[in-house]
Amino acid sequence: MISHAPLPAFDPLAGTVVLAPEKDEEGYWAGCPGVLHDGERFWLTYRRRRPRGAGAERGWRCAVAVSDDGVSFTDVWSVHKDELRTPSMERFCLTPADGGGFVLYLSYVDPADNRWRIDALGPVAHPSEFDVATARPVLTAASTGTEGVKDPYVLRAGPVTYLFASYAAALPGLGGEAHASADIYNVGATTHPTGLATSLDGGASFTWQGQALGVGQGWDRYQARLNSVVPVPGGFVGFYDGSGSHEENYEERCGVAVSGDLFGWRRLSGERPWVSSPHRGGSVRYLDALVVEGRWWLYYEMTRADGAHELRVLRLPAE
């Protein structure tokens, strides 16, 4: 089992801005990055969000973009939340499909019950071909026995496809009123660990395995959301978002955990966050990490001095 992070804590201000928010105001975000490198190009999924009370509030637009250099991206596909009839969308995840092409996992609030869910699109030959009319359910509150599930991160290891997702832990006696805001994460009614689902048929169907990374006892006692997993000598390193209460729901900070088998995780940042922003609530979240040609590529959403969130990338040498 590895016992340390394979790279040092970094200064998030050193990263290059990839996407800026619509407005330089609190509540406007560009972030939720998910990154794939196909051997030639970088693919990015991201979300744009507006504050409550604004037109098309909350997570209103998600997109897939492509880049040759990993910094300058061009959209090839996007979806507006109205196409899903949802109050909000959050993180998407683009993955290679068996036999070629791509699959897109998306998370959004189910308009039927106000609970977060995860669907899939594809496979398609090119991301520009995704069609939300073909979405199929992957994980829902009902299928996982939770109060909602979102923010998928998918990877393949051997014959197994692993899907990590943040979920709202079931709480006996919790009524539908907790979902009245269409955001159970922001009401403080339950906690939000990371769960794991596995597939042996290339992602056609998943079996919910339950909790993989639980919440901690300190700064991350409310949420522990695993965002990315990288194979390293001795196992895997994962980067997760933590928060101490629902009051920090939009300002999670980054932690590190390690695993030998992807099922059980041990946090290395139990006492304090690994990385945080110096601004406002300190958020550095949704960190997705790749190792490409001997360098770490770290994509993350961070809080700016004006309270808005922007998407940055930082490149560091791999040891």
Side-chain angles (χ1 to χ4, degrees), residues 200-250:
L200 292 173
D201 54 15
S205 61
F206 282 88
T207 299
W208 182 247
Q209 303 292 345
Q211 179 177 291
L213 174 65
V215 296
Q217 298 180 345
W219 70 275
D220 54 359
R221 62 187 177 276
Y222 182 68
Q223 180 166 203
R225 173 175 57 209
L226 193 64
N227 296 314
S228 61
V229 176
V230 180
V232 295
F236 303 87
V237 62
F239 303 95
Y240 73 93
D241 293 342
S243 61
S245 77
H246 69 285
E247 295 178 350
E248 299 174 345
N249 182 49
Y250 302 140

Side-chain angles (χ1 to χ4, degrees), residues 9-307:
F10 62 92
D11 176 7
L13 296 178
T16 301
V17 176
V18 175
L19 290 171
E22 285 183 278
K23 296 184 179 182
D24 301 332
E25 301 174 13
E26 190 169 351
Y28 286 92
W29 308 338
C32 260
V35 188
L36 170 69
H37 189 265
D38 65 6
E40 297 181 358
R41 296 166 294 180
F42 292 83
W43 296 92
L44 171 72
T45 61
Y46 70 90
R47 178 184 74 150
R48 291 196 178 276
R49 192 259 193 189
R50 294 170 176 164
R52 289 183 183 270
E57 65 176 17
R58 299 176 63 198
W60 69 278
R61 183 180 186 270
C62 288
V64 179
V66 67
S67 172
D68 291 325
D69 63 6
V71 178
S72 298
F73 285 86
T74 301
D75 289 358
V76 299
W77 179 88
S78 66
V79 58
H80 190 287
K81 72 172 190 171
D82 289 350
E83 297 177 65
L84 293 168
R85 301 184 301 278
T86 180
S88 186
M89 303 178 293
E90 202 143 343
R91 196 191 202 195
F92 286 16
C93 181
L94 183 72
T95 66
D98 283 357
F102 299 87
V103 173
L104 182 66
Y105 294 86
L106 49 156
S107 63
Y108 63 99
V109 177
D110 192 330
D113 63 5
N114 274 355
R115 289 165 168 81
W116 287 97
R117 64 179 289 151
I118 296 171
D119 286 2
L121 305 178
V124 296
H126 189 272
S128 62
E129 301 171 7
F130 286 126
D131 181 358
V132 294
T134 66
R136 62 183 186 278
V138 175
L139 297 175
T140 66
S143 71
T144 57
T146 68
E147 294 294 333
V149 59
K150 68 182 180 76
D151 299 330
Y153 179 81
V154 181
L155 75 156
R156 185 74 172 265
V160 183
T161 302
Y162 297 82
L163 189 162
F164 295 95
S166 176
Y167 69 94
L171 186 65
L174 187 66
E177 66 277 1
H179 296 277
S181 68
D183 191 4
I184 186 67
Y185 284 69
N186 201 40
V187 298
T190 183
T191 58
H192 304 280
T194 296
L196 171 64
T198 56
S199 172
L200 292 173
D201 54 15
S205 61
F206 282 88
T207 299
W208 182 247
Q209 303 292 345
Q211 179 177 291
L213 174 65
V215 296
Q217 298 180 345
W219 70 275
D220 54 359
R221 62 187 177 276
Y222 182 68
Q223 180 166 203
R225 173 175 57 209
L226 193 64
N227 296 314
S228 61
V229 176
V230 180
V232 295
F236 303 87
V237 62
F239 303 95
Y240 73 93
D241 293 342
S243 61
S245 77
H246 69 285
E247 295 178 350
E248 299 174 345
N249 182 49
Y250 302 140
E251 294 293 320
E252 298 90 353
R253 292 154 292 166
C254 184
V256 181
V258 293
S259 176
D261 61 4
L262 295 173
F263 282 82
W265 290 82
R266 179 166 59 88
R267 56 182 28 85
L268 301 182
S269 49
E271 294 184 2
R272 64 186 65 86
W274 182 56
V275 172
S276 60
S277 167
H279 301 309
R280 298 291 184 101
S283 184
V284 172
R285 64 181 198 160
Y286 288 111
L287 188 151
D288 200 345
L290 299 175
V291 178
V292 179
E293 297 180 349
R295 288 199 296 177
W296 285 91
W297 293 70
L298 307 178
Y299 293 82
Y300 51 92
E301 175 184 327
M302 66 164 284
T303 304
R304 309 189 317 186
D306 58 15

